[in-house]
């Protein structure tokens, strides 16, 4: 207490209504909030509240908030996510090799909660992630088989895995159970697949993209065939679920400058990358002929894959020396880079990340970057 019995310091703050104290704290940045929390235990608990950190987190890299404000990591304290976000920005992480295999492959991955799905030759294996670490349980929880040649791409759609293989087939497998449907889809390998809303789309070396029905009694029935001028390396279904080719993106691509990966961020915005070394951001409301932003890979290397946090961060995988790069969309240049395979050169064929870990699949190994422990 001060002279005359007036409160001082933290006691003065607690004399304010809680709503007013929340409003005052909402104007503080991360450093100021952290310092205020050091004043006393009560303030430490108060300043750790999620509402005070949400505004800060939305401006951070990979904090679990999308452009539209959705929280993809509910259940993890927002303050902790902001702390880990600083490790992503500054490239502070611990590296680990999780799996190795003897023959060179072109693996693909999907990260779903506590499971990581990884294609290895003709199979897809589901590994349980170890809690609070980047590790995997050594034995897979499930193995999904059926292709006669290597799996090229697959997606997890609800309770099903949809995979395309070098044998030209598409297989629909039940995640929990033995049920599966296999049908001949293309004359050559199925390079890419996507699935949602009761339809599958696929692309092939045979220069076609096809739309397939998943309706009961019509599973595997081809609804549309789109003829293309070159092999189809990547494909994605619009969240608007039109199911038909609506338009073409870009006009200045030369033959052979294929797009190797594409992903939607919102129903109207998407990212692409490929052989011509650029990451491009497209806004379908502005133009389908010209991208709105682009970032060039600094070492003139083809980009095999990319992933977005749905907000400010992009991660990309390069064709040489297993290079993973992190990008802040608000900056023109690369933010951080990690070489995972030097001196042996291997592309990063696929990458996935959570708010704490990044997983990269190379020709002969699966690597992890753990950003919780710099």
């Amino acid at each position: 207490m001060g002279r005359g019995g007036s409160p001082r310091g933290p006691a003065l703050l607690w004399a304010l209504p809680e709503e007013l104290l929340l409003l005052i704290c909402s104007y503080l940045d991360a450093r100021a909030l952290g310092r205020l929390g050091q004043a006393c235990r009560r303030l430490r608990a108060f300043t750790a509240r999620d509402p005070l950190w949400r505004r800060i987190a939305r401006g951070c890299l990979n904090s679990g908030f999308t452009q539209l404000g959705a929280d993809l990591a509910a259940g993890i304290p927002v303050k902790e996510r902001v702390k880990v976000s600083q490790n992503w920005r500054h490239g502070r992480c611990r590296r680990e090799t999780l799996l190795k295999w003897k023959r060179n492959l072109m693996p693909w991955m999907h990260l779903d909660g506590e499971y990581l799905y990884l294609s290895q030759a003709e199979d897809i294996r589901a590994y349980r992630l170890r809690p609070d670490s980047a590790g995997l349980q050594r034995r897979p929880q499930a193995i999904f088989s059926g292709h006669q040649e290597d799996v090229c791409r697959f997606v997890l759609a609800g309770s099903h895995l949809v995979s395309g293989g070098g044998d030209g087939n598409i297989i629909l497998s039940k995640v929990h159970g033995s049920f599966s449907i296999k049908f001949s889809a293309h004359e050559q390998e199925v390079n890419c697949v996507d699935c949602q809303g009761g339809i599958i789309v696929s692309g092939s070396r045979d220069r076609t993209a096809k739309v397939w029905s998943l309706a009961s009694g019509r599973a595997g029935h081809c609804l549309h065939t789109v003829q293309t001028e070159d092999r189809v390396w990547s494909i994605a279904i619009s969240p608007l679920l039109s199911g038909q080719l609506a338009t073409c993106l870009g006009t200045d691509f030369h033959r052979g400058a294929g797009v190797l990966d594409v992903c939607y961020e919102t129903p109207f915005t998407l990212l692409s990358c490929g052989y011509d070394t650029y990451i491009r951001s497209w806004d379908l409301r502005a133009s389908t002929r010209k991208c709105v932003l682009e970032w060039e890979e600094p070492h003139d290397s083809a980009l095999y894959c990319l992933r977005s946090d749905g907000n400010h961060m992009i991660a990309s995988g390069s064709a040489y020396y297993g290079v993973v790069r992190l990008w802040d969309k608000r900056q023109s240049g690369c933010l951080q880079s990690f070489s995972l395979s030097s001196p042996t050169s291997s592309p990063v064929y696929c990458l996935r990340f959570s708010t704490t870990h990044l997983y990269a699949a190379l020709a002969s190994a699966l690597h992890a970057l753990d950003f919780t422990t710099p």
Side-chain angles (χ1 to χ4, degrees), residues 62 75 115 160 166 292 311 354:
N62 195 29
Y115 287 95
H160 291 84
V292 293
N311 199 2
S354 64

Side-chain angles (χ1 to χ4, degrees), residues 110-118 125-130 136-137 139-142 156 175-176 359:
H110 189 93
L111 191 60
D112 181 57
E114 60 182 4
Y115 287 95
L116 185 143
Y117 295 82
L118 175 70
R125 304 187 178 201
Y127 293 91
R128 185 187 290 272
L129 299 172
R130 292 178 180 171
L136 304 174
Q137 290 187 354
R139 290 189 176 184
Q141 295 290 303
L156 182 65
V175 172
H176 303 291
Y359 302 90

Side-chain angles (χ1 to χ4, degrees), residues 121-124 144-154 162-173 181-193 202-206 210 212:
E122 302 91 349
D123 300 330
I124 300 171
F144 303 90
S145 305
H147 286 285
Q148 301 304 309
E149 297 185 32
D150 288 3
V151 174
C152 297
R153 297 279 178 100
F154 68 90
V162 181
S163 58
D167 53 9
N169 294 326
I170 291 176
I171 296 180
L172 177 68
S173 303
I181 296 175
K182 178 178 179 179
F183 59 91
S184 179
H186 291 270
E187 296 178 1
Q188 300 184 47
E189 58 260 46
V190 181
N191 290 327
C192 50
V193 292
S202 61
S204 171
R205 183 182 287 271
D206 66 9
K210 295 184 179 182
W212 308 89

Side-chain angles (χ1 to χ4, degrees), residues 326-364:
L326 303 183
W327 309 78
D328 186 335
K329 292 194 289 187
R330 297 163 294 189
Q331 300 178 13
S332 59
C334 170
L335 185 66
Q336 298 291 340
S337 64
F338 310 89
S339 181
L340 302 178
S341 68
S342 181
T344 303
S345 179
S346 168
V348 178
Y349 288 112
C350 185
L351 58 80
R352 293 291 185 268
F353 59 80
S354 64
T355 56
T356 55
H357 299 88
L358 184 146
Y359 302 90
L362 278 66
S364 59

Side-chain angles (χ1 to χ4, degrees), residues 29 86 122 128 135 163 175 208 261 279 281 345 360:
D29 60 17
Q86 296 307 305
E122 302 91 349
R128 185 187 290 272
S163 58
V175 172
T208 65
D261 201 7
I279 298 172
S281 175
S345 179

Side-chain angles (χ1 to χ4, degrees), residues 72-89:
L72 304 179
I76 303 176
V78 181
K79 179 180 178 181
E80 294 304 312
R81 288 186 254 164
V82 170
K83 288 182 179 179
V84 176
S85 172
Q86 296 307 305
N87 293 336
W88 287 86
R89 172 166 292 281

